[in-house]
């Protein structure tokens, strides 16, 4: 990160003193978007380190010392994730079959939208995997629903 770690740590401590959220800073925290982005980035580096991108061990110690939560309690609020979670819950918890859900026009429209995004090359690998698992079809992007 280009920003000074100690400055951001101090900002994080001030945030926690005011909001008492166990360091659950919204990614797009309106009063200070840089703080939300920094916390998101810190968690990403800690949870998914690579050979060239990782957290300084002293920074990990400093964050552990304040009781920093390395996992976000927030769920992604994107339209995709809301629709995905809704369909997933229906498939898992419902008397409806997957086919019943797939036969609904609204579901078909949503899947078609995801297929279009996929074919443009704009659907993330994670979302592609989510849909393959949900639809129980690794070729969902080429299937007519």
């Amino acid at each position: 990160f280009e920003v000074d770690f100690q400055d951001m740590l101090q900002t994080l401590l001030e945030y926690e003193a005011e909001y008492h959220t166990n360091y659950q800073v919204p990614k797009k925290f309106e009063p200070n978007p840089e703080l939300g982005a920094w916390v998101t980035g810190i968690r990403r580096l800690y949870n998914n380190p690579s050979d060239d991108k990782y957290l300084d061990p002293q920074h990990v110690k400093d964050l552990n010392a304040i009781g920093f939560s390395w996992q976000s309690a927030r769920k992604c609020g994107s339209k995709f994730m809301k629709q995905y979670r809704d369909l997933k819950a229906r498939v898992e918890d419902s008397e409806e079959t997957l086919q019943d859900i797939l036969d609904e026009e609204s579901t078909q429209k949503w899947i078609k939208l995801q297929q279009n995004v996929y074919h443009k090359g704009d659907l993330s690998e994670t979302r592609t995997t989510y849909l393959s698992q949900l639809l129980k079809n690794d070729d969902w992007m080429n299937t007519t629903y």
Side-chain angles (χ1 to χ4, degrees):
F1 285 85
E2 301 285 327
V3 298
D4 181 73
F5 177 83
Q6 291 303 322
D7 288 346
M8 292 307 294
L9 180 62
Q10 183 59 42
T11 302
L12 180 63
L13 289 168
E14 291 166 5
Y15 168 89
E16 186 61 23
E18 183 173 347
Y19 295 98
H20 309 285
T21 65
N22 193 28
Y23 304 103
Q24 298 295 324
V25 182
K27 185 176 180 180
K28 296 178 183 177
F29 179 55
E30 190 65 38
N32 187 344
E34 184 179 35
L35 178 62
W38 182 78
V39 168
T40 298
I42 288 290
R43 285 190 176 116
R44 189 173 293 128
L45 286 175
Y46 179 81
N47 292 311
N48 302 299
S50 64
D51 289 340
D52 61 336
K53 293 184 179 181
Y54 56 90
L55 280 180
D56 179 309
Q58 185 58 50
H59 294 171
V60 174
K61 283 183 183 180
D62 292 345
L63 288 162
N64 283 336
I66 66 166
F68 182 73
S69 177
W70 292 104
Q71 296 295 321
S72 175
R74 300 176 181 280
K75 292 183 177 178
C76 179
S78 71
K79 287 181 181 179
F80 173 91
M81 287 307 296
K82 287 177 182 176
Q83 182 69 28
Y84 168 78
R85 281 193 296 268
D86 178 58
L87 288 173
K88 186 172 189 262
R90 288 179 62 200
V91 168
E92 292 175 351
D93 303 334
S94 178
E95 296 294 320
E96 299 171 282
T97 66
L98 176 59
Q99 191 57 55
D100 291 337
I101 295 168
L102 292 176
D103 286 342
E104 294 175 1
E105 185 177 346
S106 61
T107 302
Q108 292 171 4
K109 283 182 179 180
W110 184 75
I111 293 171
K112 183 70 174 163
L113 175 66
Q114 303 318 311
Q115 289 171 327
N116 290 338
V117 173
Y118 175 86
H119 288 295
K120 285 185 197 174
D122 292 336
L123 193 66
S124 73
E125 187 176 321
T126 300
R127 289 183 177 184
T128 301
T129 300
Y130 285 166
L131 286 164
S132 294
Q133 292 169 348
L134 176 68
L135 301 173
K136 298 175 179 32
N137 180 355
D138 290 334
D139 195 39
W140 65 268
M141 65 288 295
N142 299 310
T143 301
T144 300
Y145 291 94

